[in-house]
Amino acid sequence: MPVGAKADSTTSSPAMGGGKEQRVTKQRRAVSAALDELDDFVSTQELYRILQNQGVSVSLATAYRILQSLADEGLVDVLRNGDGEAVYRRCAVTGHHHHLLCRNCGKAVEVEAPAVETWAARTAAEHGFTEVAHTVEIFGLCPDCTARKAAGSL
């Protein structure tokens, strides 16, 4: 390896879906590893703070770019939370699915919804739409937060 070359910045792997080569950097691996450890959706700024606390040197702008790249490749789910902020998560379900999201604690549950799929396809066809996509996110309080609210501690 030439003097001064960085092995992390020269490694590449094919991205899913387009055959585009994506550089695999130390920062990309750190973001990916942090997502693997999280159960719920996380904003870029929350993930940035987690990485900083772990001593990982990554800028906020780089974290944004990496998360968007992972989302574009289908490696993470991205959605808008109740405040309209983009949040990301590595999902266990690889196919099309939806989420139940707790407005209080952020807990997410992955759900398949065949009735929604049927409705979306029928509605699109009735209006002559093709190549359709949809996103359904259901916001509410999870059972734990509902119990805390009933007990007056929320």
Side-chain angles (χ1 to χ4, degrees):
M1 180 179 308
V3 174
K6 295 181 181 177
D8 289 337
S9 64
T10 58
T11 306
S12 62
S13 72
M16 292 175 57
K20 178 182 174 189
E21 291 289 319
Q22 177 64 49
R23 290 181 353 156
V24 179
T25 62
K26 177 174 62 173
Q27 292 87 355
R28 184 176 168 94
R29 284 194 302 272
V31 166
S32 187
L35 287 170
D36 288 342
E37 297 298 317
L38 298 171
D39 291 326
D40 293 323
F41 282 88
V42 64
S43 72
T44 306
Q45 291 193 5
E46 290 168 326
L47 184 63
Y48 172 75
R49 283 191 290 276
I50 290 167
L51 293 169
Q52 294 300 299
N53 290 340
Q54 293 175 349
V56 176
S57 177
V58 59
S59 72
L60 183 58
T62 297
Y64 273 107
R65 281 192 301 274
I66 291 168
L67 286 169
Q68 186 57 55
S69 172
L70 292 171
D72 290 346
E73 295 169 30
L75 299 174
V76 298
D77 276 353
V78 60
L79 55 94
R80 299 280 174 187
N81 65 15
D83 297 327
E85 180 180 30
V87 290
Y88 303 84
R89 181 174 106 165
R90 178 105 55 212
C91 287
V93 177
T94 57
H96 181 73
H97 61 280
H98 305 284
H99 300 95
L100 293 167
L101 299 160
C102 182
R103 286 190 305 263
N104 183 60
C105 70
K107 177 180 180 172
V109 176
E110 296 170 352
V111 294
E112 294 184 24
V116 170
E117 307 311 319
T118 301
W119 171 83
R122 185 181 66 243
T123 302
E126 287 172 2
H127 295 276
F129 278 64
T130 62
E131 300 183 34
V132 296
H134 66 273
T135 303
V136 176
E137 311 304 340
I138 302 169
F139 295 90
L141 292 179
C142 71
D144 291 340
C145 289
T146 298
R148 282 196 293 273
K149 183 175 183 180
S153 61
L154 177 63

